[in-house]
Amino acid sequence: MTTRRTRPAPRPPEGTPPRSELARQARAALADAVRIARWAADGATPGAPPLAAQALQRAAAALELSPAQVRSGWDRARLAGLVELHGDTARPGWRLRAWDRDDSAVLRGWVALFDAWSLVHPAPAGLESTAAAEAVEAVPQVLSLLQLSAGPVTVPALLDLLAQRVAELREERCEVPYGPQPLPGPAEPAPPADPAALLDWALEGLAAVGALTLGTGHATLTPLGNWAVWVKLEQICVAAQSPAGNIEQSAADMLLGCARLTPGPARDEYRAWLAARPVGSAVAELLDVARGEDALLRGLAFEALRVVGAPAEPEVRAVLADASLRPYALLWLAEYDGTDPEDAPDVLSREEATWLWVDTAAAVADHGETGLLVRHLDSAVQGTVPALLEEVRAVGHPRTVQVLVALAAAHPDPALAKAVRRAAFQVHTGGA
């Protein structure tokens, strides 16, 4: 056990509704997406994007929605993690299965949609891509002003802030193009985008996901939007829990309780938890947690299995056929066979290593801090960001879009963030 003190979780601003009420609002905002996801999960699978025409008509008739509502709801369901695409098959995501009973899953799903507002409401056709990227990068400052104002903010004030932030981004930008470049021709600078058009697009996109409401000449954060902005400003990490009393907890709760511990104290907790249970049932419970949808718990479950050692070897070897567990199992077996932990990743194929990178990034995006997600780039086996993005798109991890959107939102380099955001859009739309 440890006596390490933890900082108490910060309290949300006064007037913030309780989490149960926020979750109710998030469920209402995603009601059509949930209906479509459940329709797909019942076997009437729409297939891979873009939504097949026949499936679109079937869903519209079955759910009494217009084709446009079905298409919009389908996109929202994917971005919120309610459905996952495996080839041409749609499967229910873990959030859909937990939707009616787990407020945290609901709120995380809505925050994933909030982060992807620029995919939910694509930029107008005439808007230059660089200007759109600048607007996305400037939106956090706009949201901060709305959150700090705790009420309506006039459009002129938001426009001034957006224009100022875009100007700062242009001054800070130092874009280095990837790969060989043609010789420069005569300079023809693109006409600057209208700041008012950028603001209109951003406000409409944020309103489309339920983060704010638009009035005549002003905008106001909704309770959900206000809470989400505060969460991001405070960098709340869901996994922090006291290590005391884990011996009586379920495997999932025990692992979450140990998530913030350093390796030594965490191993002590794992040993205490394992000592109170028959080894067979303990291993089975840990592997059941690893098969779940929370990537953080998947990694932690295999850390606990390292403490088990030899008795876990047959069960770990048996999960090699499971694509989501195979990279973890291969690393576990390599270390069990005596491979140095630093050399263990060599047993993974390039595809397995990329899958593991995305899975770990999903854990960081759900439970970690912004800086950790940015630093996670350095752990990729690919030598360059373009190579990483190409292989991440190809590997087919169900959380790819959400990971890329979160990484683009977190990375301070505008050029890299733009490339990552473009890759997220391509995965989302099924493009090359």
Side-chain angles (χ1 to χ4, degrees), residues 311-331:
E313 189 266 343
E315 286 77 8
V316 172
R317 196 172 295 279
V319 303
L320 287 173
D322 187 324
S324 65
L325 299 186
R326 180 176 174 82
Y328 294 94
L330 287 172
L331 292 175

Side-chain angles (χ1 to χ4, degrees), residues 306-393:
R306 285 176 171 83
V307 174
V308 178
E313 189 266 343
E315 286 77 8
V316 172
R317 196 172 295 279
V319 303
L320 287 173
D322 187 324
S324 65
L325 299 186
R326 180 176 174 82
Y328 294 94
L330 287 172
L331 292 175
W332 190 98
L333 291 167
E335 294 182 28
Y336 173 72
D337 291 335
T339 303
D340 189 297
E342 292 186 359
D343 298 328
D346 294 341
V347 305
L348 301 181
S349 69
R350 184 92 163 196
E351 184 178 25
E352 289 160 352
T354 303
W355 177 282
L356 183 61
W357 186 90
V358 179
D359 208 45
T360 306
V364 175
D366 281 346
H367 299 279
E369 296 177 340
T370 298
L372 293 177
L373 188 60
V374 173
R375 291 195 294 274
H376 184 55
L377 272 175
D378 296 334
S379 67
V381 296
Q382 292 78 8
T384 65
V385 170
L388 170 65
L389 295 179
E390 180 179 355
E391 295 185 32
V392 162
R393 291 202 304 264

Side-chain angles (χ1 to χ4, degrees), residues 53-297:
Q54 292 182 346
L56 182 65
Q57 296 300 327
R58 289 200 308 272
L63 301 172
E64 298 182 349
L65 298 172
S66 70
Q69 288 174 314
V70 172
R71 188 177 291 108
S72 172
W74 176 243
D75 281 346
R76 289 164 180 260
R78 292 178 57 221
L79 291 169
L82 298 172
V83 291
E84 297 174 355
L85 293 178
H86 299 262
D88 290 336
T89 303
R91 298 177 185 170
W94 71 275
R95 285 178 181 143
L96 182 63
R97 293 193 288 272
W99 196 253
D100 293 330
R101 57 179 170 77
D102 189 338
D103 288 349
S104 292
V106 172
L107 291 173
R108 289 183 194 173
W110 184 84
V111 169
L113 187 71
F114 169 70
D115 286 338
W117 66 267
S118 61
L119 297 180
V120 174
H121 185 68
L127 191 60
E128 202 269 333
S129 60
T130 300
E134 290 171 343
V136 172
E137 293 167 42
V139 157
Q141 281 69 31
V142 173
L143 290 169
S144 295
L145 175 60
L146 285 162
Q147 200 266 344
L148 291 171
S149 299
V153 179
T154 63
V155 168
L158 297 174
L159 185 59
D160 286 345
L161 178 61
L162 180 72
Q164 177 183 342
R165 181 58 183 148
V166 167
E168 292 172 353
L169 291 170
R170 289 175 179 169
E171 290 179 3
E172 296 168 359
R173 184 184 299 118
C174 180
E175 294 190 358
V176 179
Y178 297 112
Q181 301 295 313
L183 293 174
E188 294 184 4
D194 179 10
L198 294 176
L199 181 65
D200 287 345
W201 169 55
L203 294 180
E204 289 168 4
L206 291 164
V209 299
L212 53 78
T213 57
L214 297 175
T216 304
H218 65 267
T220 310
L221 284 177
T222 63
L224 269 176
N226 186 70
W227 169 80
V229 175
W230 172 78
V231 165
K232 290 182 177 299
L233 291 173
E234 293 293 330
Q235 296 185 341
I236 290 178
C237 299
V238 180
Q241 300 233 353
S242 167
N246 287 320
I247 191 171
E248 297 178 1
Q249 302 299 320
S250 67
D253 289 341
M254 179 273 294
L255 293 172
L256 282 176
C258 296
R260 285 293 188 84
L261 300 179
T262 55
R267 283 192 293 269
D268 291 341
E269 287 293 299
Y270 300 151
R271 290 189 184 98
W273 185 86
L274 290 163
R277 290 158 178 77
V279 66
S281 63
V283 170
E285 189 175 352
L286 288 169
L287 286 175
D288 282 344
V289 172
R291 290 186 183 94
E293 308 300 332
D294 192 322
L296 175 68
L297 293 185

